[in-house]
Amino acid sequence: MEVPFISSGALSRAHYIIVRKVELAQTAQQADDYFLEEVAALRDRLSRPGFSSAQCREYLIMLLYCSMNTVAGLPPDALEFALPYAVNLAEAGSSFEDRKTGYLFCSEIMSPHHDLKLMLVNTIRKDLEADSTMRIVLALNYLIQCPSEDVIPAVQARLHGLLSHKSPRIRRRALHAARSLSECDPAALRWLSPEISRCLRDTDKGVVGSSLANGLLGPDTLGNAYQSLVRFEKSSTSSPAAMLVTQKALRLYSIVQPSKEVLKVVVGLIKRSANITKAHVLLYDCFSVLRNTPADILIPFTTSNGSPVSHIRHLLSNDQSEQHLFLSCLSCLPPAVWAGTIPDVPAVLEAWEVDRVMRLLSTPDPAIWLKTLRVLTNVDPSIVELYFSQKLGSLDRSAASCEDEVLALLEVITILAGDDAELYARSIRDVISPASTRPDAWRSSQVLERAVETVLSSLRDGEATFGENVATTLLTPLAEVEAETSFTPTLMVVLTALACEYAGRVPVSPVQLLCGLSRRLISYPASIQEVGLLAMMRLAAECQKIPPETISHIQHLRSTASRHISRFEDMARKPDELKAAVANSRSRSLPDFLLALESKSPAPPSSPHINSSSRAESRSSFRGAQKLRYTAYEPPPPSQPRRSRATSSTRSIPTSDSHDDLARTVTAGDLAIAAGSPELRALSLPQYVRSPPGSPVRNPTSISLLSPRADLISLDVPFIAEQPDDVKVSEQDEQNRDDFANVWDTASTFSARGWCDETLEAVVRRLQGLGFPRGLAVLPADRPPFQGELKILVLGGPDGRGRAVLRLHEERDNDEDGCLWRMRSDDEGLLVAVKQVLSG
């Protein structure tokens, strides 16, 4: 539904626009692209000086909106650039909302051990000492969410005073803040125990509850909590306030080992609460106390005093809420207490009650079904294994509704397998791809998309080692080239996704995976072949050479007209581009790898070149100028100084042939158009580094800035000779690229990074002005390594020693120029010299 801006509640027009764009996005990936574009735009706005606190708050809120709504998620450090602004807003915001936004952004984005956390210490201390209640609340909320050991010395004295503050909400938050900070260093705040114990007698029930949940309570605190439990057990009424205090006391005992006296009171509370419907809220807390009691204490106690399960058996009724509560309480106890798994302790539930529990496996409520599975697995895994085998045997994979049954079986596998990766992988294979001897047995089967998503999500959300072991077990049969193993389309999609995500991380040869995939793809429809070819391109990036049999198998797939076949054959001959796509992919997943392949090469820095609109205008103007009828100028003489300056702007040193190109007839209209064109100004940047006097001339083609854009310029400007399309990279280019990568990988002792308020050509001119004896080389941004960044290799410092490498990434808009730079060097003096130039 269309909502106008005035009724939308958006912070600004920019906020309204990004929300509308995301709402109208056709796919989740398109929405993520909008978010990434907005993050880049907000980064640019924050880099400009002069914005107000209100604008800063708006930008930070929009960044949080982008980070919390992306499907794929932003990289961990994607919003780190905004942290200094958030810290400053929390300190000097002009309004409460500004300060609140600053604190909120820091709590959501700042990592636990970030350097900027120290800058917040003074801000937190000042807010805690302020007269404003709202500022105190802000600081306490931040301490609760983001405790840090470094802040304890600065705030512990003030926390002691806030425990007696006149406002109950500040007293409550001070107790929670003390509890959070004590988790970082319990000994540092132990001296607050007497004051926290006194809070148990507070008139506000919320403060009493917060005191009971605090781990810094004094030695008499457990006694006070015990008295609270006894009073509630013996009382004839159940007021909400008394229930709240009892609940807090139970939670306190759930984190410590209770005595037998406490256990007796807890069992009495179970008996009393089970018979009062409104007191059911306490049942689970009572069983939580029993859950944390060691079995060697709990079993003798229940044997002599009766099992607490006998008091809740009536909850096994037809009401789903009571069934859920019954199973939740039952899961807190070890099966030895109630299930009769050991000889000395008889079963508590009768046969008909056990049958009622088993029938819960057929309930339509998924929460009850899962809890029942977990309870039965704890009692005897063979019960669930038999249930799994029966369900698997009755599975009809040809039915339209089989996907729901497959998803249910996958849930059972997760519970049964636990941390056993091999069992998990084998069970998944049995469910979604049963054994078959015919290679085309499952050719017409449908792909169960939700099943694929469930398997991949479980691996991504689990431990990395578990995912790698599962991927190894599943991918090993695929790598067996000679085997006749056949997979359903569903499992084939899972295997291709795992091959892409775990390529190079599992002990399965990527070459064998390539051969296995290429050999089997002929048996699947075109949609599966598309996915398989993408996975093969990802695997090819891990191989030194593509096996000939793989290329042969790909040739047989041309009958299906897959659009990725020609791309695979082309990419197989360009391993550098494949590796660049892997490096540029936002994650290891197959969709992100596809996006990296289909996206153009990262845009080179814009400062030495022209944008698309100016190129279009230049071309149209030049075409119009060719129609003008002016008398031609005489060709300029070869020795004219103007020509030598023009040749210094070309990508190579002119020879006699290039003089003939430059001497061609140029009309007055051509000169008029070219004189004001931005291309001509861009050509003023020298494309090679001038050697010092007396040194040999270096090959200029090895250090041209950005050859693809230079070719575009040569087509636009009338007095630049056209360059051939297939310009080959010289040996010097390859040497410079290898030298750059080598220095970047090895020279990590001396490094620096920062921002320079200059365009890329200005940075290059500055470095040229240092007069390095051995010169420097500029590597194009559209070539590896680090595509999208201009790369400079300094071959030696002023004294001729050492080498340095620079990576420059331009951040430019219509109003302001600048670039981010990163540098590494094997000589400290050279690093300091270059850094002074970039910071000057």
Side-chain angles (χ1 to χ4, degrees):
M1 187 176 78
E2 292 291 338
V3 178
F5 168 69
I6 195 169
S7 304
S8 64
L11 295 172
S12 63
R13 287 282 182 183
H15 188 197
Y16 176 78
I17 290 172
I18 180 61
V19 172
R20 291 294 297 152
K21 288 171 67 176
V22 171
E23 289 177 348
L24 297 175
Q26 299 297 320
T27 62
Q29 183 57 51
Q30 186 181 21
D32 281 1
D33 292 339
Y34 290 147
F35 285 131
L36 292 174
E37 292 173 2
E38 186 65 20
V39 169
L42 290 169
R43 178 173 186 167
D44 179 69
R45 293 176 201 167
L46 284 172
S47 65
R48 305 178 190 175
F51 53 83
S52 63
S53 295
Q55 289 175 314
C56 183
R57 175 170 63 89
E58 175 192 334
Y59 298 157
L60 295 180
I61 291 175
M62 292 174 66
L63 286 172
L64 286 174
Y65 168 73
C66 294
S67 67
M68 294 179 180
N69 288 278
T70 52
V71 176
L74 296 177
D77 57 347
L79 302 184
E80 191 168 335
F81 67 91
L83 286 176
Y85 304 99
V87 171
N88 183 67
L89 194 65
E91 163 70 23
S94 57
S95 67
F96 170 75
E97 292 297 331
D98 295 343
R99 292 174 177 268
K100 182 179 179 181
T101 302
Y103 273 118
L104 175 63
F105 192 90
C106 291
S107 64
E108 294 291 339
I109 303 301
M110 190 179 293
S111 59
H113 303 290
H114 198 280
D115 294 340
L116 288 178
K117 264 191 175 293
L118 293 175
M119 298 183 64
L120 275 175
V121 172
N122 190 52
T123 302
I124 295 171
R125 182 183 58 80
K126 288 168 55 178
D127 285 342
L128 290 178
E129 295 175 352
D131 296 331
S132 171
T133 301
M134 301 306 294
R135 289 181 60 181
I136 297 175
V137 168
L138 281 179
L140 290 175
N141 286 344
Y142 181 80
L143 290 177
I144 294 169
Q145 298 176 37
C146 305
S148 172
E149 185 178 352
D150 298 325
V151 78
I152 294 177
V155 303
Q156 57 181 349
R158 182 55 178 162
L159 275 180
H160 180 270
L162 292 177
L163 293 176
S164 304
H165 197 276
K166 62 181 181 180
S167 172
R169 61 177 177 173
I170 289 184
R171 296 200 298 273
R172 290 196 300 268
R173 284 176 171 81
L175 286 166
H176 289 304
R179 177 186 179 183
S180 297
L181 292 173
S182 67
E183 295 175 357
C184 301
D185 188 359
L189 295 174
R190 184 64 63 187
W191 64 280
L192 291 176
S193 296
E195 187 65 29
I196 294 176
S197 298
R198 282 194 292 272
C199 290
L200 291 172
R201 299 187 293 271
D202 197 284
T203 56
D204 184 84
K205 300 301 182 182
V207 175
V208 175
S210 300
S211 303
L212 287 171
N214 204 299
L216 294 172
L217 289 170
D220 59 337
T221 302
L222 291 177
N224 295 333
Y226 175 72
Q227 294 299 326
S228 299
L229 295 179
V230 172
R231 284 195 300 268
F232 186 81
E233 182 194 10
K234 295 181 178 180
S235 65
S236 58
T237 59
S238 302
S239 66
M243 290 183 61
L244 177 62
V245 172
T246 304
Q247 190 175 22
K248 294 294 184 179
L250 289 171
R251 291 180 182 178
L252 173 63
Y253 276 111
S254 68
I255 61 176
V256 298
Q257 182 174 326
S259 62
K260 291 184 178 180
E261 291 76 12
V262 174
L263 289 178
K264 290 181 179 179
V265 175
V266 169
V267 173
L269 284 174
I270 291 175
K271 182 178 180 180
R272 180 174 186 266
S273 302
N275 296 321
I276 303 175
T277 303
K278 65 179 181 180
H280 281 178
V281 68
L282 296 178
L283 273 179
Y284 183 74
D285 291 317
C286 291
F287 276 88
S288 296
V289 176
L290 303 180
R291 178 179 56 190
N292 291 288
T293 304
D296 56 348
I297 297 177
L298 189 59
I299 293 175
F301 174 81
T302 55
T303 302
S304 58
N305 295 276
S307 174
V309 177
S310 61
H311 301 301
I312 62 171
R313 62 200 318 163
H314 66 281
L315 296 178
L316 194 58
S317 61
N318 295 324
D319 184 79
Q320 291 186 346
S321 298
E322 292 185 349
Q323 291 173 355
H324 190 278
L325 178 59
F326 174 82
L327 293 171
S328 299
C329 295
L330 204 61
S331 63
C332 293
L333 298 176
V337 173
W338 61 272
T341 56
I342 58 177
D344 297 336
V345 182
V348 178
L349 298 179
E350 297 181 7
W352 70 270
E353 292 172 320
V354 175
D355 181 67
R356 177 69 65 87
V357 172
M358 293 296 298
R359 278 190 286 171
L360 291 179
L361 291 174
S362 303
T363 180
D365 190 326
I368 294 178
W369 179 75
L370 282 174
K371 281 188 173 295
T372 306
L373 281 175
R374 292 191 175 97
V375 168
L376 294 177
T377 303
N378 290 334
V379 174
D380 188 357
S382 62
I383 299 175
V384 182
E385 290 174 1
L386 178 61
Y387 170 79
F388 174 78
S389 300
Q390 293 174 347
K391 287 293 184 180
L392 183 60
S394 61
L395 178 63
D396 183 8
R397 294 176 177 81
S398 62
S401 60
C402 71
E403 186 167 16
D404 292 332
E405 298 180 25
V406 169
L407 292 175
L409 289 173
L410 292 178
E411 293 285 357
V412 178
I413 291 172
T414 303
I415 295 173
L416 274 178
D419 296 331
D420 191 340
E422 187 175 355
L423 175 61
Y424 182 81
R426 291 200 313 268
S427 302
I428 285 177
R429 192 167 53 208
D430 292 341
V431 170
I432 61 179
S433 186
S436 175
T437 56
R438 293 185 299 115
D440 60 344
W442 312 109
R443 182 167 183 167
S444 60
S445 301
Q446 61 178 337
V447 176
L448 306 179
E449 297 181 3
R450 288 189 294 161
V452 173
E453 182 180 354
T454 299
V455 173
L456 297 180
S457 297
S458 65
L459 298 184
R460 291 168 186 160
D461 297 339
E463 296 290 336
T465 305
F466 179 81
E468 292 172 2
N469 292 337
V470 171
T472 301
T473 305
L474 289 176
L475 291 175
T476 299
L478 181 64
E480 296 173 356
V481 181
E482 300 300 328
E484 295 296 333
T485 308
S486 177
F487 309 109
T488 60
T490 301
L491 183 57
M492 197 64 179
V493 174
V494 172
L495 294 178
T496 53
L498 294 180
C500 181
E501 294 190 29
Y502 292 92
R505 297 168 57 185
V506 294
V508 184
S509 170
V511 176
Q512 293 179 348
L513 286 175
L514 262 180
C515 296
L517 267 176
S518 62
R519 177 175 169 271
R520 290 178 172 87
L521 283 183
I522 192 67
S523 302
Y524 293 91
S527 59
I528 308 297
Q529 293 174 5
E530 297 283 353
V531 180
L533 285 168
L534 287 173
M536 290 174 62
M537 282 188 272
R538 174 62 184 90
L539 290 168
E542 302 291 332
C543 303
Q544 297 294 332
K545 184 180 179 181
I546 308 299
E549 56 268 27
T550 297
I551 302 297
S552 175
H553 290 145
I554 293 300
Q555 295 295 332
H556 288 83
L557 295 178
R558 288 195 172 275
S559 59
T560 59
S562 175
R563 66 187 180 93
H564 287 301
I565 289 179
S566 59
R567 171 177 287 183
F568 176 83
E569 295 172 342
D570 182 52
M571 286 293 185
R573 296 187 292 268
K574 300 176 181 179
D576 289 342
E577 293 189 15
L578 276 177
K579 293 178 180 179
V582 173
N584 292 332
S585 179
R586 290 195 299 171
S587 71
R588 300 180 66 93
S589 66
L590 197 62
D592 283 341
F593 177 67
L594 173 60
L595 288 176
L597 279 177
E598 292 192 341
S599 62
K600 297 179 180 179
S601 297
S606 57
S607 57
H609 314 293
I610 55 176
N611 56 36
S612 58
S613 60
S614 62
R615 285 202 303 270
E617 293 172 0
S618 175
R619 290 193 183 100
S620 62
S621 301
F622 180 52
R623 293 191 189 100
Q626 288 179 324
K627 299 179 182 179
L628 297 177
R629 300 295 184 234
Y630 289 104
T631 303
Y633 287 99
E634 291 295 328
S639 59
Q640 191 171 356
R642 185 179 298 273
R643 183 193 306 164
S644 63
R645 180 172 181 176
T647 58
S648 69
S649 299
T650 60
R651 299 189 333 159
S652 60
I653 297 177
T655 61
S656 59
D657 295 335
S658 62
H659 287 327
D660 294 337
D661 291 328
L662 291 173
R664 63 187 177 86
T665 301
V666 182
T667 67
D670 293 341
L671 292 177
I673 297 298
S677 67
E679 293 92 330
L680 182 58
R681 291 194 296 272
L683 289 175
S684 63
L685 173 63
Q687 304 294 305
Y688 63 93
V689 180
R690 297 171 183 168
S691 302
S695 62
V697 177
R698 296 175 56 83
N699 183 4
T701 60
S702 65
I703 48 178
S704 61
L705 280 180
L706 299 168
S707 54
R709 290 296 186 90
D711 291 341
L712 288 176
I713 294 173
S714 68
L715 293 175
D716 291 339
V717 183
F719 43 78
I720 298 297
E722 293 186 0
Q723 300 291 336
D725 294 333
D726 52 345
V727 178
K728 296 182 178 180
V729 180
S730 67
E731 294 182 1
Q732 186 63 44
D733 281 334
E734 297 288 349
Q735 181 63 40
N736 288 337
R737 186 175 65 183
D738 294 342
D739 290 346
F740 184 94
N742 181 56
V743 175
W744 184 264
D745 293 337
T746 58
S748 58
T749 304
F750 306 107
S751 62
R753 62 189 302 170
W755 172 266
C756 183
D757 295 323
E758 297 285 352
T759 59
L760 292 184
E761 61 263 35
V763 173
V764 175
R765 289 196 188 97
R766 282 189 178 189
L767 294 176
Q768 291 173 358
L770 288 179
F772 295 113
R774 298 177 59 191
L776 54 89
V778 182
L779 307 179
D782 63 329
R783 296 180 186 172
F786 311 116
Q787 288 181 295
E789 297 179 341
L790 190 66
K791 300 162 282 289
I792 300 177
L793 171 64
V794 182
L795 301 173
D799 55 359
R801 295 184 301 176
R803 291 186 300 176
V805 287
L806 271 165
R807 292 168 56 184
L808 304 170
H809 181 74
E810 183 133 31
E811 301 285 339
R812 180 175 178 170
D813 55 32
N814 295 329
D815 301 325
E816 186 179 357
D817 295 326
C819 61
L820 290 168
W821 58 267
R822 284 186 284 180
M823 175 173 53
R824 292 182 181 178
S825 176
D826 53 13
D827 182 80
E828 184 176 11
L830 177 57
L831 181 135
V832 172
V834 176
K835 184 178 178 181
Q836 289 177 348
V837 173
L838 296 173
S839 304

